[in-house]
Amino acid sequence: MRPDPLRRRLLLLAAASGLSLSSVGRRALAQASPLASAAGPVDAAGKGLKVVVVGAGMAGLSAAARLAESGAEVVVLEARDRIGGRIFTDSSLGVPVEHGANFIHGYHGNPVADLAAKARATPFFIDQESWQLLEQGGVEPEDFEIDDVFDDLETLADSAAEEADGDPSVSLLEVIEMLDPALLQEPIGNWALTDTYEGEYGAPLAQLSALHLDAGEAFDGPDVVLREGYDLLVKFLGQGLDIRLGQPVRRIRHRPDGVTVETDAGTVEADHCIVTVPLGVLKAEAITFEPALPDGHRKAIAAIGFGQLAKVSVAFDKPFWPEDVHFLGYAGRERGRFADMLNLTAIHDAPMLTLVASGDYAPRVDAMDNAALIADITAVLRDMFGSDVPAPKGMSRHAWSRDPFARGAYSFPAVGASPADHATLAAPVGPRLRLAGEHVSGDYAGTVHGALLSGERVADLVLAAGKG
């Protein structure tokens, strides 16, 4: 949950050493974005072309906007009654809280940051050093204890791939049990493992491939929360687009000369189709493809992990926690039990927290009813801050694992999977059908900017293909 965990720190160190995309390359990438111009069509490459985009999340909307500004006729079919997909902002508690995507990860050169500037969003820059960790009974560990644990994690991160010895089926949990099992026996160690890995990837340690944990790239700079809410960006992108809500796609027939997309409301014919539904929907085979997806695509869909993360925002009459820190950590008995909390007091001047459950605890939270969940959260907060802590006066949640149009949070490097699986999904399904989304992005899987760049990339490929 804290937006600068060990993995991103290590990636940024690699970038500083010239091992990843250079700052010049990132600037060029952002400048090349078709969303860089808000002045209308950048060319007429799409004139006379009709495209159906399935899904109105970041990937779908970025693809549709790129196509539309190039003159194509675009129809966006969205199963939900709202746009945004896993960007889902709720203001029912008085200020924007994020059920889904929360941060712009790495502000410098990030195309989502560029989009936020165009949408006139107000960024709140996160200080990754502004956090407080409490153990059971409200005990604050000494700095050296935390430093020692993160030193152990850096050693673990340096050795994980070597211990996997080229085998993607070796889990991170197996490597920890071999190299440093003491981490699993102490509350601070378990908290650090959650904060660094389970909360970052949305998956338990036993499901994470030790070999491919550090695959991918990262943008430089601080992480950012948008004060108006993340959904400001999808509303901005969606302006002027033909978006049809409440139309889940059931079947896609793709031929050498075009596509037919079937929904509960009827069919849409087009020259091309871009499918941007979450990986969980593809795993569930909720859409029938005729002909079926290629064998390589089906294997990649099965291999890549699709995780669970439970986020719950709660409101109080007044804060009983430190008001100026950006994050709170809880090192309790059970790994993943609300180990990380975002302090909305610092961001919105509101007495609210967003708590995150990860790893094996996330599905337990999604299975709780509201009364049980409030009781569980209250118990954690009382353990941290004392028995006089009141129960929340309001709560906002969304169970992504039980959402039929998501079926989970975001993709992760699962045991048995490899970065090549993302490249497979980026390959065309057929001459008229392509996939897009964060799970299709090899460099930026699991991120909003990965989804945005994936949508733009596919839109450009469709424009290049044209009607031919």
Side-chain angles (χ1 to χ4, degrees):
M1 174 67 183
R2 283 194 305 118
D4 193 27
L6 181 67
R7 172 176 173 267
R8 244 177 48 82
R9 290 202 295 273
L10 294 174
L11 285 172
L12 292 176
L13 286 172
S17 302
L19 298 178
S20 69
L21 192 63
S22 69
S23 59
V24 173
R26 279 189 290 273
R27 285 195 295 272
L29 182 64
Q31 292 165 356
S33 166
L35 299 177
S37 171
V42 295
D43 54 48
K47 189 174 182 180
L49 196 66
K50 183 171 183 179
V51 183
V52 174
V53 176
V54 181
M58 181 56 78
L61 292 175
S62 65
R66 173 69 181 103
L67 291 163
E69 72 178 2
S70 295
E73 179 185 350
V74 186
V75 173
V76 182
L77 300 175
E78 169 55 48
R80 305 178 189 278
D81 60 1
R82 60 172 181 84
I83 64 172
R86 284 166 286 163
I87 293 175
F88 185 10
T89 306
D90 175 38
S91 297
S92 64
L93 296 179
V95 299
V97 300
E98 306 295 353
H99 288 316
N102 217 129
F103 303 101
I104 298 176
H105 288 291
Y107 199 70
H108 298 158
N110 192 317
V112 179
D114 294 341
L115 178 60
K118 293 181 179 66
R120 299 184 181 274
T122 306
F124 179 88
F125 293 91
I126 295 293
D127 180 358
Q128 59 123 347
E129 299 297 333
S130 178
W131 55 280
Q132 182 180 44
L133 176 64
L134 296 177
E135 296 184 80
Q136 293 170 251
V139 175
E140 186 171 3
E142 298 289 342
D143 288 345
F144 77 85
E145 296 179 88
I146 299 173
D147 290 342
D148 286 348
V149 167
F150 275 101
D151 286 345
D152 291 342
L153 283 189
E154 289 207 38
T155 301
L156 176 67
D158 289 340
S159 306
E162 181 181 349
E163 289 298 321
D165 195 25
D167 184 357
S169 67
V170 176
S171 75
L172 180 58
L173 180 61
E174 291 176 279
V175 170
I176 295 168
E177 289 173 336
M178 286 189 291
L179 296 181
D180 198 349
L183 280 171
L184 300 165
Q185 308 302 320
E186 54 188 38
I188 299 177
N190 269 319
W191 168 80
L193 290 168
T194 290
D195 179 69
T196 302
Y197 293 113
E198 294 190 327
E200 165 78 353
Y201 295 101
L205 301 175
Q207 295 180 19
L208 292 168
S209 171
L211 183 63
H212 295 305
L213 280 176
D214 288 337
E217 304 285 353
F219 286 101
D220 294 328
D223 291 349
V224 161
V225 172
L226 300 179
R227 279 200 166 106
E228 295 85 358
Y230 226 131
D231 66 347
L232 177 67
L233 304 192
V234 292
K235 291 174 182 175
F236 178 80
L237 272 181
Q239 293 178 85
L241 295 177
D242 181 1
I243 303 173
R244 304 177 187 180
L245 301 177
Q247 296 198 25
V249 168
R250 305 301 184 187
R251 185 182 306 270
I252 298 174
R253 294 187 172 94
H254 54 111
R255 311 172 302 277
D257 61 343
V259 295
T260 302
V261 181
E262 298 180 8
T263 75
D264 294 343
T267 62
V268 180
E269 302 283 343
D271 300 305
H272 292 270
C273 179
I274 300 173
V275 177
T276 71
V277 298
L279 179 63
V281 175
L282 295 176
K283 284 179 175 289
E285 300 182 349
I287 298 174
T288 299
F289 294 92
E290 294 182 2
L293 296 178
D295 185 58
H297 283 71
R298 295 199 303 272
K299 288 180 178 177
I301 289 167
I304 299 170
F306 198 62
Q308 295 188 40
L309 205 66
K311 294 175 64 177
V312 186
S313 294
V314 287
F316 299 87
D317 288 322
K318 60 182 181 180
F320 47 81
W321 57 89
E323 296 182 39
D324 56 343
V325 300
H326 292 180
F327 289 93
L328 296 168
Y330 174 59
R333 286 186 300 272
E334 297 179 81
R335 189 170 65 246
R337 186 188 182 201
F338 305 117
D340 287 307
M341 307 174 190
L342 177 64
N343 180 16
L344 300 184
T345 309
I347 299 170
H348 296 297
D349 194 24
M352 296 170 57
L353 298 168
T354 296
L355 296 87
V356 178
S358 55
D360 291 326
Y361 207 80
R364 293 172 59 180
V365 168
D366 279 354
M368 293 179 188
D369 62 25
N370 284 354
L373 182 52
I374 288 175
D376 198 36
I377 289 172
T378 302
V380 166
L381 293 176
R382 286 177 178 169
D383 191 23
M384 296 173 70
F385 298 107
S387 59
D388 58 346
V389 165
K393 70 174 186 179
M395 181 176 73
S396 180
R397 67 186 295 201
H398 185 77
W400 292 103
S401 65
R402 299 190 168 204
D403 182 331
F405 304 127
R407 300 174 186 260
Y410 45 80
S411 63
F412 69 87
V415 292
S418 78
D421 293 317
H422 298 281
T424 297
L425 294 186
V429 173
R432 303 288 178 165
L433 179 62
R434 287 182 175 271
L435 306 180
E438 54 85 9
H439 52 286
V440 181
S441 174
D443 284 338
Y444 304 112
T447 67
V448 176
H449 52 270
L452 186 154
L453 290 169
S454 172
E456 290 183 354
R457 171 187 172 276
V458 170
D460 285 341
L461 292 172
V462 166
L463 290 171
K467 285 179 170 290

